[in-house]
mmCIF file of all heavy atoms in Angstrom:
data_model
loop_
_atom_site.group_PDB
_atom_site.id
_atom_site.type_symbol
_atom_site.label_atom_id
_atom_site.label_comp_id
_atom_site.label_asym_id
_atom_site.label_seq_id
_atom_site.Cartn_x
_atom_site.Cartn_y
_atom_site.Cartn_z
ATOM 1 N N ARG A 1 126.067 229.904 31.051
ATOM 2 C CA ARG A 1 126.923 230.714 30.236
ATOM 3 C C ARG A 1 126.240 232.022 29.860
ATOM 4 O O ARG A 1 125.014 232.117 29.827
ATOM 5 C CB ARG A 1 127.328 229.978 28.955
ATOM 6 C CG ARG A 1 126.195 229.679 28.006
ATOM 7 C CD ARG A 1 126.677 228.749 26.852
ATOM 8 N NE ARG A 1 127.671 229.389 26.021
ATOM 9 C CZ ARG A 1 128.532 228.739 25.253
ATOM 10 N NH1 ARG A 1 128.505 227.404 25.235
ATOM 11 N NH2 ARG A 1 129.420 229.387 24.496
ATOM 12 N N ASP A 2 127.067 233.031 29.593
ATOM 13 C CA ASP A 2 126.619 234.329 29.148
ATOM 14 C C ASP A 2 127.398 234.626 27.882
ATOM 15 O O ASP A 2 128.595 234.970 27.949
ATOM 16 C CB ASP A 2 126.865 235.397 30.220
ATOM 17 C CG ASP A 2 126.303 236.757 29.861
ATOM 18 O OD1 ASP A 2 126.228 237.104 28.665
ATOM 19 O OD2 ASP A 2 125.944 237.484 30.787
ATOM 20 N N ASN A 3 126.756 234.506 26.741
ATOM 21 C CA ASN A 3 127.473 234.658 25.475
ATOM 22 C C ASN A 3 127.816 236.128 25.176
ATOM 23 O O ASN A 3 128.699 236.395 24.378
ATOM 24 C CB ASN A 3 126.662 234.071 24.329
ATOM 25 C CG ASN A 3 126.724 232.544 24.291
ATOM 26 O OD1 ASN A 3 127.554 231.933 25.002
ATOM 27 N ND2 ASN A 3 125.874 231.926 23.516
ATOM 28 N N VAL A 4 127.132 237.044 25.823
ATOM 29 C CA VAL A 4 127.482 238.468 25.644
ATOM 30 C C VAL A 4 128.773 238.738 26.415
ATOM 31 O O VAL A 4 129.662 239.421 25.913
ATOM 32 C CB VAL A 4 126.347 239.373 26.134
ATOM 33 C CG1 VAL A 4 126.792 240.836 26.108
ATOM 34 C CG2 VAL A 4 125.106 239.153 25.285
ATOM 35 N N LYS A 5 128.867 238.250 27.637
ATOM 36 C CA LYS A 5 130.079 238.448 28.446
ATOM 37 C C LYS A 5 131.178 237.437 28.110
ATOM 38 O O LYS A 5 132.262 237.517 28.679
ATOM 39 C CB LYS A 5 129.708 238.335 29.930
ATOM 40 C CG LYS A 5 128.798 239.446 30.436
ATOM 41 C CD LYS A 5 128.560 239.292 31.941
ATOM 42 C CE LYS A 5 127.674 240.429 32.447
ATOM 43 N NZ LYS A 5 127.390 240.293 33.900
ATOM 44 N N LYS A 6 130.882 236.460 27.246
ATOM 45 C CA LYS A 6 131.856 235.437 26.873
ATOM 46 C C LYS A 6 132.375 234.725 28.129
ATOM 47 O O LYS A 6 133.578 234.559 28.284
ATOM 48 C CB LYS A 6 132.998 236.033 26.067
ATOM 49 C CG LYS A 6 132.588 236.573 24.709
ATOM 50 C CD LYS A 6 133.796 237.025 23.924
ATOM 51 C CE LYS A 6 133.415 237.507 22.535
ATOM 52 N NZ LYS A 6 134.607 237.926 21.747
ATOM 53 N N THR A 7 131.456 234.346 28.978
ATOM 54 C CA THR A 7 131.854 233.727 30.240
ATOM 55 C C THR A 7 130.979 232.512 30.502
ATOM 56 O O THR A 7 129.761 232.549 30.272
ATOM 57 C CB THR A 7 131.752 234.732 31.403
ATOM 58 O OG1 THR A 7 132.565 235.883 31.140
ATOM 59 C CG2 THR A 7 132.198 234.119 32.706
ATOM 60 N N VAL A 8 131.614 231.456 31.015
ATOM 61 C CA VAL A 8 130.864 230.300 31.480
ATOM 62 C C VAL A 8 131.095 230.180 32.982
ATOM 63 O O VAL A 8 132.163 230.487 33.490
ATOM 64 C CB VAL A 8 131.295 229.005 30.738
ATOM 65 C CG1 VAL A 8 132.778 228.682 30.970
ATOM 66 C CG2 VAL A 8 130.418 227.829 31.094
ATOM 67 N N TYR A 9 130.044 229.756 33.686
ATOM 68 C CA TYR A 9 130.078 229.673 35.143
ATOM 69 C C TYR A 9 129.852 228.248 35.612
ATOM 70 O O TYR A 9 129.213 227.447 34.942
ATOM 71 C CB TYR A 9 128.985 230.579 35.721
ATOM 72 C CG TYR A 9 129.095 232.027 35.283
ATOM 73 C CD1 TYR A 9 128.288 232.497 34.227
ATOM 74 C CD2 TYR A 9 129.915 232.917 35.940
ATOM 75 C CE1 TYR A 9 128.357 233.813 33.816
ATOM 76 C CE2 TYR A 9 129.992 234.236 35.534
ATOM 77 C CZ TYR A 9 129.202 234.681 34.457
ATOM 78 O OH TYR A 9 129.298 235.983 34.068
ATOM 79 N N LEU A 10 130.341 227.985 36.794
ATOM 80 C CA LEU A 10 130.037 226.727 37.487
ATOM 81 C C LEU A 10 129.684 227.098 38.921
ATOM 82 O O LEU A 10 130.576 227.418 39.723
ATOM 83 C CB LEU A 10 131.211 225.753 37.449
ATOM 84 C CG LEU A 10 130.880 224.365 38.030
ATOM 85 C CD1 LEU A 10 129.889 223.634 37.110
ATOM 86 C CD2 LEU A 10 132.167 223.540 38.148
ATOM 87 N N GLN A 11 128.400 227.056 39.244
ATOM 88 C CA GLN A 11 127.938 227.278 40.598
ATOM 89 C C GLN A 11 128.025 225.961 41.340
ATOM 90 O O GLN A 11 127.409 224.963 40.919
ATOM 91 C CB GLN A 11 126.498 227.806 40.592
ATOM 92 C CG GLN A 11 125.923 227.997 41.968
ATOM 93 C CD GLN A 11 126.595 229.129 42.738
ATOM 94 O OE1 GLN A 11 126.835 230.190 42.199
ATOM 95 N NE2 GLN A 11 126.921 228.863 43.993
ATOM 96 N N MET A 12 128.754 225.946 42.427
ATOM 97 C CA MET A 12 128.994 224.731 43.176
ATOM 98 C C MET A 12 128.415 224.901 44.587
ATOM 99 O O MET A 12 128.915 225.741 45.357
ATOM 100 C CB MET A 12 130.498 224.403 43.240
ATOM 101 C CG MET A 12 131.140 224.345 41.856
ATOM 102 S SD MET A 12 132.847 223.765 41.927
ATOM 103 C CE MET A 12 133.590 225.119 42.830
ATOM 104 N N ASN A 13 127.409 224.127 44.926
ATOM 105 C CA ASN A 13 126.801 224.178 46.233
ATOM 106 C C ASN A 13 127.007 222.850 46.961
ATOM 107 O O ASN A 13 127.361 221.843 46.346
ATOM 108 C CB ASN A 13 125.284 224.435 46.097
ATOM 109 C CG ASN A 13 124.989 225.777 45.423
ATOM 110 O OD1 ASN A 13 125.744 226.756 45.583
ATOM 111 N ND2 ASN A 13 123.886 225.823 44.695
ATOM 112 N N SER A 14 126.777 222.870 48.275
ATOM 113 C CA SER A 14 126.913 221.674 49.096
ATOM 114 C C SER A 14 128.226 220.947 48.819
ATOM 115 O O SER A 14 128.276 219.751 48.599
ATOM 116 C CB SER A 14 125.744 220.705 48.830
ATOM 117 O OG SER A 14 124.506 221.327 49.104
ATOM 118 N N LEU A 15 129.292 221.726 48.839
ATOM 119 C CA LEU A 15 130.620 221.168 48.489
ATOM 120 C C LEU A 15 131.060 220.134 49.496
ATOM 121 O O LEU A 15 130.762 220.221 50.696
ATOM 122 C CB LEU A 15 131.621 222.283 48.389
ATOM 123 C CG LEU A 15 131.538 223.095 47.087
ATOM 124 C CD1 LEU A 15 132.236 224.436 47.213
ATOM 125 C CD2 LEU A 15 132.132 222.306 45.926
ATOM 126 N N LYS A 16 131.785 219.158 48.992
ATOM 127 C CA LYS A 16 132.304 218.046 49.779
ATOM 128 C C LYS A 16 133.813 217.999 49.666
ATOM 129 O O LYS A 16 134.379 218.448 48.668
ATOM 130 C CB LYS A 16 131.709 216.726 49.282
ATOM 131 C CG LYS A 16 130.210 216.676 49.259
ATOM 132 C CD LYS A 16 129.698 215.367 48.644
ATOM 133 C CE LYS A 16 128.195 215.314 48.591
ATOM 134 N NZ LYS A 16 127.699 214.040 47.994
ATOM 135 N N PRO A 17 134.488 217.418 50.636
ATOM 136 C CA PRO A 17 135.954 217.316 50.564
ATOM 137 C C PRO A 17 136.380 216.629 49.261
ATOM 138 O O PRO A 17 137.464 216.980 48.697
ATOM 139 C CB PRO A 17 136.324 216.497 51.796
ATOM 140 C CG PRO A 17 135.249 216.859 52.793
ATOM 141 C CD PRO A 17 134.009 216.995 51.957
ATOM 142 N N GLU A 18 135.615 215.673 48.796
ATOM 143 C CA GLU A 18 136.009 214.974 47.547
ATOM 144 C C GLU A 18 135.869 215.847 46.290
ATOM 145 O O GLU A 18 136.267 215.390 45.204
ATOM 146 C CB GLU A 18 135.200 213.694 47.386
ATOM 147 C CG GLU A 18 133.701 213.856 47.511
ATOM 148 C CD GLU A 18 133.202 213.539 48.943
ATOM 149 O OE1 GLU A 18 133.866 213.965 49.939
ATOM 150 O OE2 GLU A 18 132.171 212.887 49.047
ATOM 151 N N ASP A 19 135.334 217.050 46.430
ATOM 152 C CA ASP A 19 135.307 217.971 45.316
ATOM 153 C C ASP A 19 136.610 218.751 45.173
ATOM 154 O O ASP A 19 136.804 219.503 44.207
ATOM 155 C CB ASP A 19 134.172 218.989 45.466
ATOM 156 C CG ASP A 19 132.802 218.344 45.396
ATOM 157 O OD1 ASP A 19 132.586 217.475 44.552
ATOM 158 O OD2 ASP A 19 131.931 218.736 46.208
ATOM 159 N N THR A 20 137.510 218.526 46.122
ATOM 160 C CA THR A 20 138.803 219.237 46.064
ATOM 161 C C THR A 20 139.593 218.835 44.840
ATOM 162 O O THR A 20 139.786 217.633 44.588
ATOM 163 C CB THR A 20 139.622 218.898 47.328
ATOM 164 O OG1 THR A 20 138.954 219.463 48.485
ATOM 165 C CG2 THR A 20 141.027 219.498 47.243
ATOM 166 N N ALA A 21 139.992 219.819 44.058
ATOM 167 C CA ALA A 21 140.732 219.557 42.796
ATOM 168 C C ALA A 21 141.084 220.898 42.158
ATOM 169 O O ALA A 21 140.610 221.960 42.599
ATOM 170 C CB ALA A 21 139.865 218.738 41.847
ATOM 171 N N VAL A 22 141.883 220.807 41.129
ATOM 172 C CA VAL A 22 142.050 221.954 40.221
ATOM 173 C C VAL A 22 140.987 221.841 39.168
ATOM 174 O O VAL A 22 140.820 220.776 38.537
ATOM 175 C CB VAL A 22 143.453 221.952 39.586
ATOM 176 C CG1 VAL A 22 143.571 223.131 38.584
ATOM 177 C CG2 VAL A 22 144.539 222.035 40.639
ATOM 178 N N TYR A 23 140.241 222.916 38.970
ATOM 179 C CA TYR A 23 139.143 222.944 38.020
ATOM 180 C C TYR A 23 139.559 223.698 36.774
ATOM 181 O O TYR A 23 140.123 224.803 36.844
ATOM 182 C CB TYR A 23 137.905 223.609 38.632
ATOM 183 C CG TYR A 23 137.176 222.693 39.615
ATOM 184 C CD1 TYR A 23 137.753 222.357 40.830
ATOM 185 C CD2 TYR A 23 135.951 222.159 39.283
ATOM 186 C CE1 TYR A 23 137.078 221.502 41.700
ATOM 187 C CE2 TYR A 23 135.260 221.306 40.176
ATOM 188 C CZ TYR A 23 135.866 220.987 41.377
ATOM 189 O OH TYR A 23 135.193 220.136 42.248
ATOM 190 N N TYR A 24 139.297 223.080 35.635
ATOM 191 C CA TYR A 24 139.660 223.627 34.342
ATOM 192 C C TYR A 24 138.421 223.852 33.493
ATOM 193 O O TYR A 24 137.520 223.001 33.491
ATOM 194 C CB TYR A 24 140.588 222.687 33.574
ATOM 195 C CG TYR A 24 141.900 222.360 34.275
ATOM 196 C CD1 TYR A 24 141.996 221.289 35.155
ATOM 197 C CD2 TYR A 24 143.035 223.118 34.035
ATOM 198 C CE1 TYR A 24 143.198 220.968 35.768
ATOM 199 C CE2 TYR A 24 144.251 222.818 34.626
ATOM 200 C CZ TYR A 24 144.314 221.748 35.499
ATOM 201 O OH TYR A 24 145.493 221.474 36.115
ATOM 202 N N CYS A 25 138.410 224.939 32.743
ATOM 203 C CA CYS A 25 137.367 225.058 31.708
ATOM 204 C C CYS A 25 137.980 224.782 30.374
ATOM 205 O O CYS A 25 139.178 224.913 30.173
ATOM 206 C CB CYS A 25 136.683 226.421 31.765
ATOM 207 S SG CYS A 25 137.659 227.788 31.162
ATOM 208 N N ALA A 26 137.119 224.367 29.432
ATOM 209 C CA ALA A 26 137.574 223.990 28.112
ATOM 210 C C ALA A 26 136.534 224.415 27.067
ATOM 211 O O ALA A 26 135.354 224.571 27.395
ATOM 212 C CB ALA A 26 137.787 222.482 28.049
ATOM 213 N N ALA A 27 136.985 224.590 25.848
ATOM 214 C CA ALA A 27 136.152 225.065 24.755
ATOM 215 C C ALA A 27 136.413 224.314 23.485
ATOM 216 O O ALA A 27 137.538 223.880 23.194
ATOM 217 C CB ALA A 27 136.341 226.568 24.516
ATOM 218 N N LYS A 28 135.340 224.139 22.696
ATOM 219 C CA LYS A 28 135.475 223.501 21.366
ATOM 220 C C LYS A 28 134.377 224.007 20.466
ATOM 221 O O LYS A 28 133.181 223.975 20.830
ATOM 222 C CB LYS A 28 135.384 221.986 21.523
ATOM 223 C CG LYS A 28 135.438 221.216 20.203
ATOM 224 C CD LYS A 28 136.782 221.324 19.506
ATOM 225 C CE LYS A 28 136.926 220.302 18.373
ATOM 226 N NZ LYS A 28 136.053 220.611 17.244
ATOM 227 N N TRP A 29 134.745 224.501 19.293
ATOM 228 C CA TRP A 29 133.733 224.906 18.337
ATOM 229 C C TRP A 29 132.893 223.684 17.967
ATOM 230 O O TRP A 29 133.422 222.589 17.721
ATOM 231 C CB TRP A 29 134.422 225.478 17.097
ATOM 232 C CG TRP A 29 133.426 225.918 16.043
ATOM 233 C CD1 TRP A 29 132.801 227.107 15.918
ATOM 234 C CD2 TRP A 29 132.946 225.092 14.965
ATOM 235 N NE1 TRP A 29 131.959 227.104 14.852
ATOM 236 C CE2 TRP A 29 132.009 225.882 14.230
ATOM 237 C CE3 TRP A 29 133.189 223.790 14.548
ATOM 238 C CZ2 TRP A 29 131.362 225.417 13.125
ATOM 239 C CZ3 TRP A 29 132.500 223.298 13.424
ATOM 240 C CH2 TRP A 29 131.610 224.136 12.735
ATOM 241 N N THR A 30 131.559 223.864 17.889
ATOM 242 C CA THR A 30 130.698 222.785 17.502
ATOM 243 C C THR A 30 129.738 223.252 16.406
ATOM 244 O O THR A 30 129.264 224.377 16.468
ATOM 245 C CB THR A 30 129.864 222.263 18.671
ATOM 246 O OG1 THR A 30 129.147 223.365 19.269
ATOM 247 C CG2 THR A 30 130.730 221.593 19.716
ATOM 248 N N PRO A 31 129.446 222.423 15.424
ATOM 249 C CA PRO A 31 128.525 222.818 14.366
ATOM 250 C C PRO A 31 127.066 222.870 14.815
ATOM 251 O O PRO A 31 126.278 223.648 14.260
ATOM 252 C CB PRO A 31 128.723 221.724 13.311
ATOM 253 C CG PRO A 31 129.220 220.544 14.056
ATOM 254 C CD PRO A 31 130.010 221.092 15.198
ATOM 255 N N SER A 32 126.734 222.102 15.843
ATOM 256 C CA SER A 32 125.359 222.026 16.302
ATOM 257 C C SER A 32 125.174 222.916 17.508
ATOM 258 O O SER A 32 125.967 222.840 18.449
ATOM 259 C CB SER A 32 124.988 220.587 16.672
ATOM 260 O OG SER A 32 123.763 220.547 17.367
ATOM 261 N N PRO A 33 124.110 223.713 17.539
ATOM 262 C CA PRO A 33 123.878 224.595 18.706
ATOM 263 C C PRO A 33 123.599 223.814 19.999
ATOM 264 O O PRO A 33 123.793 224.363 21.072
ATOM 265 C CB PRO A 33 122.636 225.405 18.290
ATOM 266 C CG PRO A 33 122.561 225.287 16.842
ATOM 267 C CD PRO A 33 123.120 223.936 16.486
ATOM 268 N N SER A 34 123.154 222.582 19.908
ATOM 269 C CA SER A 34 122.777 221.824 21.094
ATOM 270 C C SER A 34 123.746 220.742 21.496
ATOM 271 O O SER A 34 123.487 220.007 22.436
ATOM 272 C CB SER A 34 121.399 221.233 20.882
ATOM 273 O OG SER A 34 121.442 220.311 19.788
ATOM 274 N N GLU A 35 124.860 220.658 20.812
ATOM 275 C CA GLU A 35 125.824 219.590 21.097
ATOM 276 C C GLU A 35 126.581 219.865 22.388
ATOM 277 O O GLU A 35 127.008 220.974 22.649
ATOM 278 C CB GLU A 35 126.835 219.451 19.959
ATOM 279 C CG GLU A 35 127.799 218.309 20.104
ATOM 280 C CD GLU A 35 128.707 218.157 18.907
ATOM 281 O OE1 GLU A 35 128.662 219.031 17.989
ATOM 282 O OE2 GLU A 35 129.492 217.171 18.874
ATOM 283 N N VAL A 36 126.755 218.777 23.218
ATOM 284 C CA VAL A 36 127.567 218.879 24.408
ATOM 285 C C VAL A 36 128.697 217.867 24.268
ATOM 286 O O VAL A 36 128.574 216.857 23.580
ATOM 287 C CB VAL A 36 126.751 218.597 25.693
ATOM 288 C CG1 VAL A 36 125.778 219.731 25.964
ATOM 289 C CG2 VAL A 36 126.022 217.270 25.605
#
């Protein structure tokens, strides 16, 4: 992620046919800086 550009990235390498899908990003405010 780049918090200045307000952008999150997903670099996908060695792609396989089973990776075929619609990909969605999602966001949620969290109180903890390290929470996933």
Side-chain angles (χ1 to χ4, degrees):
R1 65 188 296 159
D2 185 329
N3 284 349
V4 173
K5 294 183 178 179
K6 294 185 178 182
T7 302
V8 62
Y9 304 97
L10 186 68
Q11 178 67 44
M12 306 186 295
N13 299 328
S14 302
L15 283 161
K16 304 176 181 180
E18 50 264 43
D19 295 317
T20 295
V22 178
Y23 283 70
Y24 300 89
C25 71
K28 176 67 166 69
W29 179 87
T30 55
S32 168
S34 61
E35 185 177 5
V36 291

